[in-house]
Amino acid sequence: MVQVDDVALVDLVREGNREAFDEIDRRYREKLCRFLARHAQSPEHAEEIAQQSLVKAFMSIETLRRQDRLAGWLYQIAFRLAVDESRKNRLERLDANVARELVDHRGEGETASGEIESENLWKTAEQVLSPEEYSAIWLKYVDGYKVATIAKIMGRTRISVRVLLFRARKKLLPALTRLRNEE
């Protein structure tokens, strides 16, 4: 295929040109695998998630609003799939100390009890927080990303991520306190 930019490729894919998507695959598969390597259990697992990401992208190419942001959109799909996979695999291994880190990293003086089981913690978080808040909290405290990286992943500014994390912790503290009192 003649060298064309991402915008033209997306337009061609939307018109039904399969070769155009093959070119997207060729351009981004290896990059996605490298990106996913830190989230996957093995190189084969990273390849599998990259494949799932590309299939999902192909199936939902019509939802891409800005064709000039194809790369970021592909990374976002890949990251979300990796996070979903990570949640499935790591939920039972979470340490109760995560609760302390979650609630107060700014010195507000209150922390959740170390006795709260990780599974209950994350179930409670899922019930209390919006999906964006939950993802931000997970990225910060489980995957260990810095605010700047979370902002890139979520397509937000650093300030909005800080606000999102602050609000999520503020919502989570009363829920964790109730959970601790119920046990």
Side-chain angles (χ1 to χ4, degrees):
M1 173 168 262
V2 176
Q3 186 71 3
V4 295
D5 66 5
D6 287 350
V7 174
L9 282 175
V10 170
D11 286 337
L12 289 169
V13 171
R14 286 180 173 169
E15 292 170 6
N17 186 325
R18 180 61 190 233
E19 288 179 21
F21 196 80
D22 290 344
E23 177 63 18
I24 291 172
D25 185 306
R26 187 191 64 71
R27 286 183 189 180
Y28 290 101
R29 179 179 295 271
E30 188 176 323
K31 293 175 185 177
L32 288 172
C33 287
R34 279 195 310 267
F35 171 73
L36 291 165
R38 64 184 355 188
H39 305 289
Q41 300 163 350
S42 66
E44 294 79 20
H45 191 236
E47 172 67 31
E48 183 180 318
I49 296 172
Q51 175 67 27
Q52 290 172 2
S53 302
L54 289 162
V55 168
K56 187 169 185 162
F58 180 75
M59 301 299 283
S60 59
I61 195 81
E62 294 298 325
T63 65
L64 176 60
R65 287 185 235 147
R66 295 198 45 199
Q67 289 104 314
D68 61 326
R69 301 238 172 130
L70 174 65
W73 184 65
L74 290 171
Y75 282 105
Q76 192 172 38
I77 290 171
F79 181 77
R80 286 183 177 158
L81 288 173
V83 167
D84 289 346
E85 191 70 26
S86 178
R87 282 183 187 143
K88 290 176 196 171
N89 295 333
R90 294 169 74 180
L91 188 58
E92 61 274 353
R93 292 182 287 161
L94 287 176
D95 178 316
N97 292 331
V98 172
R100 282 188 219 111
E101 290 180 42
L102 261 178
V103 175
D104 186 20
H105 88 287
R106 294 213 184 244
E108 295 171 14
E110 295 182 76
T111 59
S113 169
E115 297 169 5
I116 297 174
E117 294 179 12
S118 296
E119 186 174 340
N120 289 339
L121 165 74
W122 289 103
K123 283 181 182 176
T124 300
E126 197 168 24
Q127 293 168 355
V128 171
L129 303 176
S130 72
E132 264 196 330
E133 290 168 336
Y134 184 89
S135 293
I137 287 286
W138 185 277
L139 292 170
K140 174 79 175 149
Y141 296 106
V142 176
D143 289 338
Y145 287 110
K146 295 182 181 196
V147 171
T149 305
I150 296 169
K152 286 179 185 175
I153 290 166
M154 296 182 77
R156 298 179 71 123
T157 65
R158 285 182 282 181
I159 292 171
S160 71
V161 169
R162 285 188 190 116
V163 169
L164 191 66
L165 288 167
F166 175 78
R167 289 179 179 164
R169 285 190 300 269
K170 199 156 183 102
K171 278 184 185 178
L172 201 50
L173 180 59
L176 293 176
T177 302
R178 279 192 305 275
L179 181 63
R180 183 183 63 212
N181 291 338
E182 289 172 5
E183 290 181 348

